[in-house]
Amino acid sequence: MNNENRAWQWASHLILIVISLSCIIPFALLFMSSISEETSITKYGYQLFPKAYSFDAYSYLWKNASSILHAYGITIMITVIGTAVGLAMTAMLAYPASRKDYPFYKGLAFFVFFTLLFNGGLVPTYLIYTQYLDMKDTIWALIIPNLLMNGFNVLLMRTFFMTTIPAPVIESANMDGAGEVRTFTSIVLPLSMPILATVGLMQAIMYWNDWFNGMVYITEPQYFSLQNVLNQILSNINFLSTTNMSAATNVTMNLPGATVRMAIAAIGVIPMLLAYPFFQKYFIKGITIGAVKG
């Protein structure tokens, strides 16, 4: 029996190792491709162990270091502000929608769910934010449209409140004289750290990876986020690589194409990879409990 248990233990470890490698290898391939020579990728393709190494892609990006660093600052700012404000708004909307003793709590939940099925479309949304709210070429255009409030996150947090926060705890707080604001801030939120971390991480990832708002609402380079700057650099390389002007031939021959794409992806993904381990415990617990039907 012990031998069977040990065999199952080794088998489970082997399976987990294979799954872990399947997650790690793509990122390793991404980084190794970014430090490969352009000719090596053209001839042999993407390899974990390139035939020739080169840092030309990062040298090219270093020439745009000032704009990249400025974009990093913009992205960090909108990620922090958007995540904090969005998380607060999500929690304040999900809490009354989870209280069965509140009038119209089901109607509120249905209204949130309805926004997941239908929206006004790109053109009306663009007109509202640019002509009526005057957000074009402002930092708010990177924070509010499409990202600040997400119906899925609201329903996820609502389910967590309904299935995890005991109703007698809230009732006892009310009997002791605590108002709704005090109950929400002193009892509900401290007990909801897993779902807060889960929703916060998902919102942070959306803000960090967002390029659509910058493409639609931003034309001033001073407001470009990291994704927009990197996309602009990549577009410039593609343009120079495909141009037919003979004067640019010597320049385009030395431009990194495939390698700079990998370097751009590495620069964009590394911060999120470093942040995820700090939220992993809460993320797994929150997404599991919050997904249970209430």
Side-chain angles (χ1 to χ4, degrees):
M1 189 66 178
N2 291 333
N3 291 334
E4 291 182 2
N5 291 337
R6 186 172 300 177
W8 277 109
Q9 186 177 16
W10 280 103
S12 61
H13 287 172
L14 181 61
I15 293 173
L16 291 176
I17 290 173
V18 172
I19 295 175
S20 300
L21 289 177
S22 66
C23 297
I24 295 173
I25 288 177
F27 293 104
L29 180 62
L30 172 70
F31 177 72
M32 297 305 293
S33 299
S34 69
I35 60 174
S36 302
E37 273 194 1
E38 188 74 16
T39 55
S40 176
I41 291 182
T42 303
K43 187 174 182 179
Y44 302 105
Y46 298 102
Q47 296 177 320
L48 278 176
F49 303 99
K51 301 292 184 181
Y53 295 89
S54 173
F55 290 90
D56 289 344
Y58 290 99
S59 298
Y60 183 85
L61 293 179
W62 181 255
K63 297 177 183 178
N64 300 276
S66 59
S67 60
I68 292 177
L69 289 176
H70 182 267
Y72 254 114
I74 294 292
T75 302
I76 292 173
M77 180 174 65
I78 65 173
T79 300
V80 172
I81 296 176
T83 301
V85 176
L87 192 60
M89 294 177 62
T90 300
M92 287 188 291
L93 179 57
Y95 178 65
S98 68
R99 292 286 301 272
K100 296 182 179 180
D101 55 334
Y102 280 7
F104 308 113
Y105 84 98
K106 288 186 177 180
L108 182 60
F110 175 78
F111 178 78
V112 174
F113 176 73
F114 185 83
T115 62
L116 296 177
L117 304 178
F118 304 98
N119 60 70
L122 177 59
V123 174
T125 302
Y126 178 82
L127 294 176
I128 290 293
Y129 283 119
T130 56
Q131 296 188 9
Y132 292 94
L133 299 179
D134 196 24
M135 289 187 182
K136 187 175 178 62
D137 287 327
T138 65
I139 199 67
W140 301 110
L142 298 175
I143 297 176
I144 296 178
N146 308 313
L147 298 174
L148 191 62
M149 179 66 70
N150 185 288
F152 174 78
N153 292 340
V154 174
L155 295 179
L156 189 67
M157 192 172 292
R158 171 182 178 266
T159 304
F160 184 94
F161 289 155
M162 294 180 67
T163 58
T164 307
I165 308 299
V169 174
I170 298 178
E171 293 176 0
S172 63
N174 293 333
M175 292 177 61
D176 290 338
E180 294 297 339
V181 176
R182 181 67 181 275
T183 302
F184 177 66
T185 56
S186 300
I187 296 177
V188 176
L189 291 184
L191 294 175
S192 305
M193 287 304 298
I195 195 64
L196 293 176
T198 301
V199 173
L201 179 61
M202 290 192 296
Q203 284 200 280
I205 292 174
M206 287 193 298
Y207 274 108
W208 187 268
N209 293 329
D210 178 65
W211 57 270
F212 183 78
N213 283 350
M215 182 187 69
V216 174
Y217 300 105
I218 303 296
T219 58
E220 295 292 335
Q222 60 179 331
Y223 296 116
F224 279 178
S225 65
L226 178 64
Q227 305 299 332
N228 295 124
V229 168
L230 296 180
N231 185 59
Q232 184 184 50
I233 293 173
L234 186 59
S235 299
N236 293 338
I237 292 177
N238 291 336
F239 173 77
L240 292 175
S241 300
T242 57
T243 184
N244 293 324
M245 294 185 300
S246 59
T249 302
N250 293 332
V251 177
T252 57
M253 287 179 61
N254 297 322
L255 281 178
T259 56
V260 81
R261 292 187 184 94
M262 300 298 107
I264 286 173
I267 291 176
V269 77
I270 285 176
M272 287 292 101
L273 288 179
L274 296 178
Y276 179 75
F278 297 99
F279 295 89
Q280 180 181 8
K281 178 178 67 174
Y282 295 112
F283 182 82
I284 295 174
K285 184 177 180 182
I287 199 71
T288 302
I289 299 177
V292 177
K293 183 178 179 180

